[in-house]
Amino acid sequence: MCGIVGYIGEKTAAPILINALKKLEYRGYDSAGIAVFNKDELKVVKCKGRLAALEEKLGNEVVDGNIGIGHTRWATHGEPNDINSHPHISNSGSIAVVHNGIIENYMKLKKFLEAKGYVFASDTDTEVIAHLIEYHYKGDLVKAVTESINELEGSYALGVICRDCSDQFVAARKDSPLIIGLGQGENFIASDIPAILEHTRDIYILEDKEIAAISRNNVRIYNNYGAEVKKEVMHVNWDVASAEKSGFEHFMLKEIFEEPKVLKNTINPRIKEDNVVLDGININVDELNSIEKIFIVACGTAYHAGVVGKYIIEKLAKIPVEVDLASEFRYRDPLIGNRNLVIIISQSGETIDTLFALREAKKRGAKILSIVNVVGSSIARESDNVLYTWAGPEIAVASTKAYNTQLAALYLIALDFASKKGTIDANTHSKLMEELKQLPDSIEKILQEKKDIQKFASQHYNAKSIFYIGRGLDYALSMEGSLKLKEISYIHSEAYAGGELKHGTIALIEDGTLVVCSMTQDALFEKMISNIKEVKARGAVVMVITQERNKPELQKVADMVITIPDVDSLVAPIAAITPMQLFAYYVAVHKGCDVDKPRNLAKSVTVE
Ligand code: AGP
């Protein structure tokens, strides 16, 4: 996620802004910049790279004003480079803006502003905001920002300074967090508490669509209708370490709790007036109809997302799909050519096995579509088409929110292909899109019910081995549930197709063996009931994950029933993985494992 900071007071702003941005580095970023009010001009210094590069660039500049804004950018729209870095300035140079979030209607606003004569320098959605505020600015910055945010769709946390206002700057937010630090003769804004803890522990938390006018000795807050809002001061007693995790004990839990927001960021901008609109993908109907088979190639969690993708794309778009581990694909002399589409999935966009598999496929003439979380990463740059998952930086080694958004991206691709090929009717298409849009709320509900999962984990963290079983999409899901448990709790685990147990593995089930059954697929429900009875008869303890509607029946046969809202079976994996992630997390915490940095593992495997 991007990081925003702002300062107004008696001190020189630049070093305060830089040090505050350093406290937000843990959020992940690829470029940085500041804008400082210097006597009667705005000085903007920004560049690609780490804060050290910005400090070096600042070293040669005279930047001594005492009001400014700063930004660390996690790229979503536009490659990481100097031009796309924030702050962005309006054409007249009078308005500078820093932004965290995604403006979903930026193309429409960009066209409107270009028609008004505004010239754009960058590829970002943010630049629209700088020109829009200038367009509305008639001498009152708060009013101009208010009118502008009322035209924005999407998520934003904004810091805005103006060349004509030497005694205040403005902040606003919707969906992306923003706090106001209240000092003595100085005030701050920041995306997160760590940035201002050394200056003050008294803050206002800005609510959605609130606008703040911040001067040295005063902070006034308004709603988006212009009415002043009274705020309670909140005193922060966190230490810095817990503040970086926004109060969560681990980044992994924080990232699981970000799933509703990042799913919204990934899905909503791509569903417009009942249609899937995939930015970054240029595959027309003729090209689609010429595809004989799709290969999905990835590693680890991304591979497990690919297995779900196979079921979805085949069911909706009726195109045969083969899923490969990247480390196998690149050496097996794959039968692949220009009649194939290869979908590469990678959170980091740097996994070496996956990158080399991409090159192998390209060498053989296949078209490449990648699903990546890091803008401008090696895999993104070498692909013909890229659909970004806007999950923000994933700090914990165990992938969670990235997996949910990878699934969402695969569903969007399957719906887009199915709609282009006419393999599903309009009804099914709109029903599934509605289901996708409801998913963030469904996951929100699951997160509120985490205590049952936490309790069950506390009873089973000493397990020697845990089996995950399911059928169809639930089998694909079980693969990821099992990996999550293994990689952070170090407990042996296997994912098994429910129908396959009787062919050998059931010999391992004995008294007290924990079996996690994923049961979200209505059509295979009865078959899974038989599997539960099979393992129960051998002494297993059974935890089921299923839709709310199935709880009464499953309570009769299982030891623990964890429910998700009554989502359609087809989209269930995107929600049903969350209880599995939480279960793995709480087991690992009870075992005292290093949850965010498990032994032997790296966040991005850039070596073979
Ligand atoms: C998953 O929790 C692991 N961190 C690992 O399996 C990971 O998914 C795999 O290394 C692929 O990484 P990528 O998505 O960045 O390519």
Side-chain angles (χ1 to χ4, degrees):
M1 250 23 122
C2 304
I4 286 179
V5 295
Y7 172 78
I8 184 166
E10 303 305 322
K11 303 175 190 118
T12 304
I16 292 174
L17 296 171
I18 295 291
N19 286 325
L21 288 175
K22 284 179 179 173
K23 302 289 191 307
L24 299 180
E25 285 193 289
Y26 70 88
R27 298 161 67 92
Y29 68 104
D30 45 55
S31 54
I34 66 169
V36 179
F37 190 89
N38 227 1
K39 300 186 184 61
D40 54 1
E41 56 137 353
L42 287 188
K43 186 80 187 154
V44 177
V45 182
K46 61 183 189 175
C47 62
K48 180 181 176 182
R50 312 298 290 173
L51 283 168
L54 179 63
E55 286 182 293
E56 197 181 321
K57 196 166 181 182
L58 266 171
N60 321 319
E61 307 270 348
V62 175
V63 183
D64 56 10
N66 49 26
I67 169 175
I69 51 178
H71 189 266
T72 46
R73 181 176 183 241
W74 170 268
T76 54
H77 294 68
E79 298 287 310
N81 59 31
D82 292 2
I83 293 285
N84 289 335
S85 311
H86 300 207
H88 287 283
I89 48 176
S90 61
N91 277 165
S92 70
S94 65
I95 307 273
V97 172
V98 290
H99 167 228
N100 176 23
I102 290 174
I103 302 305
E104 296 173 8
N105 62 336
Y106 85 98
M107 286 309 290
K108 194 173 102 190
L109 291 169
K110 184 168 181 173
K111 287 197 181 80
F112 166 77
L113 290 161
E114 284 175 330
K116 295 286 180 189
Y118 287 89
V119 177
F120 282 74
S122 77
D123 307 323
T124 67
D125 53 338
T126 302
E127 192 182 350
V128 157
I129 304 171
H131 299 317
L132 190 60
I133 293 172
E134 176 164 290
Y135 172 73
H136 285 296
Y137 182 67
K138 308 277 184 301
D140 179 337
L141 186 60
V142 174
K143 191 165 180 295
V145 172
T146 305
E147 289 171 356
S148 301
I149 66 166
N150 285 334
E151 292 182 42
L152 297 180
E153 290 169 17
S155 55
Y156 51 81
L158 300 176
V160 186
I161 59 174
C162 171
R163 188 171 50 198
D164 304 348
C165 311
S166 61
D167 60 353
Q168 75 168 7
F169 71 102
V170 174
R173 68 146 293 184
K174 175 177 163 290
D175 293 343
S176 296
L178 197 61
I179 59 169
I180 296 166
L182 306 167
Q184 300 299 321
E186 59 183 16
N187 289 305
F188 309 78
I189 62 167
S191 301
D192 207 353
I193 290 168
I196 50 112
L197 268 189
E198 69 178 280
H199 302 290
T200 178
R201 287 181 173 270
D202 291 331
I203 64 169
Y204 286 146
I205 294 182
L206 217 48
E207 301 296 342
D208 277 357
K209 293 200 173 183
E210 286 183 342
I211 301 97
I214 303 150
S215 56
R216 283 169 187 70
N217 298 302
N218 193 1
V219 175
R220 302 174 79 108
I221 294 174
Y222 305 89
N223 66 23
N224 62 315
Y225 302 105
E228 188 157 358
V229 174
K230 283 292 162 240
K231 278 280 183 192
E232 290 292 309
V233 177
M234 184 183 133
H235 183 77
V236 177
N237 45 26
W238 287 341
D239 58 46
V240 174
S242 58
E244 282 189 359
K245 298 163 199 144
S246 302
F248 287 98
E249 193 183 346
H250 299 101
F251 280 112
M252 183 176 173
L253 190 60
K254 175 172 178 269
E255 286 153 11
I256 292 172
F257 273 74
E258 286 175 352
E259 285 171 4
K261 180 180 63 176
V262 300
L263 273 171
K264 241 180 244 167
N265 285 348
T266 301
I267 294 169
N268 291 6
R270 285 131 176 189
I271 293 185
K272 298 193 187 323
E273 285 106 46
D274 230 17
N275 278 312
V276 171
V277 179
L278 298 184
D279 48 296
I281 295 189
N282 308 304
I283 299 176
N284 62 39
V285 178
D286 293 342
E287 287 166 323
L288 201 51
N289 289 328
S290 72
I291 293 170
E292 284 170 355
K293 181 192 272 191
I294 292 175
F295 289 77
I296 301 180
V297 182
C299 300
T301 288
Y303 168 78
H304 296 150
V307 180
V308 172
K310 166 187 169 65
Y311 284 93
I312 299 305
I313 294 172
E314 288 188 343
K315 183 161 186 69
L316 297 179
K318 308 298 180 207
I319 304 172
V321 179
E322 190 171 326
V323 194
D324 267 287
L325 289 168
S327 54
E328 290 294 309
F329 176 84
R330 46 186 296 220
Y331 298 113
R332 67 175 181 79
D333 192 12
L335 298 177
I336 194 165
N338 61 10
R339 313 284 287 186
N340 297 117
L341 171 68
V342 172
I343 297 179
I344 295 283
I345 308 175
S346 175
Q347 187 284 130
S348 63
E350 301 299 344
T351 301
I352 201 80
D353 281 324
T354 310
L355 178 60
F356 283 6
L358 179 160
R359 291 176 181 168
E360 188 61 33
K362 216 167 178 178
K363 196 170 68 182
R364 295 165 184 256
K367 185 183 278 287
I368 308 295
L369 187 169
S370 63
I371 298 173
V372 183
N373 194 40
V374 181
V375 174
S377 54
S378 305
I379 287 173
R381 284 200 310 275
E382 296 189 25
S383 299
D384 304 307
N385 303 275
V386 183
L387 187 64
Y388 284 113
T389 50
W390 287 328
E394 196 174 60
I395 311 291
V397 167
S399 186
T400 52
K401 61 176 183 173
Y403 173 82
N404 298 65
T405 57
Q406 285 163 357
L407 293 190
L410 285 159
Y411 277 84
L412 289 167
I413 289 167
L415 278 170
D416 179 52
F417 286 6
S419 157
K420 283 186 175 125
K421 290 173 65 82
T423 45
I424 56 172
D425 60 44
N427 252 356
T428 310
H429 188 257
S430 18
K431 178 177 180 303
L432 286 173
M433 276 197 298
E434 200 41 48
E435 288 275 349
L436 280 181
K437 291 183 82 168
Q438 294 306 317
L439 276 169
D441 292 343
S442 299
I443 292 180
E444 205 63 71
K445 289 197 189 85
I446 294 166
L447 295 172
Q448 284 154 18
E449 300 299 316
K450 66 183 190 308
K451 59 187 181 314
D452 289 347
I453 301 169
Q454 195 169 4
K455 182 161 171 287
F456 196 71
S458 68
Q459 296 159 354
H460 293 276
Y461 70 93
N462 275 326
K464 293 288 164 285
S465 185
I466 299 179
F467 290 86
Y468 286 72
I469 64 171
R471 290 173 182 248
L473 280 171
D474 281 324
Y475 172 43
L477 194 60
S478 299
M479 292 177 186
E480 177 55 14
S482 173
L483 175 63
K484 263 323 85 45
L485 181 88
K486 274 187 279 197
E487 65 177 326
I488 61 174
S489 73
Y490 316 142
I491 293 174
H492 171 262
S493 175
E494 278 185 73
Y496 239 81
E500 186 61 12
L501 267 180
K502 54 187 174 296
H503 297 288
T505 299
I506 197 160
L508 296 179
I509 305 295
E510 53 195 22
D511 251 2
T513 305
L514 177 57
V515 177
V516 179
C517 297
S518 184
M519 291 182 68
T520 67
Q521 302 304 299
D522 297 344
L524 296 162
F525 189 80
E526 292 310 322
K527 293 288 180 199
M528 280 304 293
I529 293 273
S530 318
N531 280 135
I532 291 176
K533 289 178 179 163
E534 242 177 17
V535 296
K536 287 292 289 174
R538 275 99 182 155
V541 173
V542 172
M543 171 170 99
V544 170
I545 294 169
T546 188
Q547 285 91 333
E548 187 61 38
R549 58 178 176 263
N550 301 322
K551 186 166 186 174
E553 184 174 356
L554 287 172
Q555 273 178 324
K556 297 174 198 152
V557 292
D559 300 280
M560 173 58 127
V561 179
I562 300 293
T563 59
I564 65 173
D566 282 336
V567 295
D568 183 283
S569 289
L570 205 55
V571 301
I574 303 181
I577 190 61
T578 302
M580 293 186 191
Q581 294 163 344
L582 288 170
F583 179 69
Y585 170 78
Y586 288 119
V587 166
V589 167
H590 278 295
K591 285 196 71 176
C593 297
D594 184 351
V595 174
D596 285 336
K597 297 188 183 68
R599 67 187 182 199
N600 313 335
L601 296 179
K603 182 58 188 169
S604 179
V605 185
T606 53
V607 292
E608 291 193 70

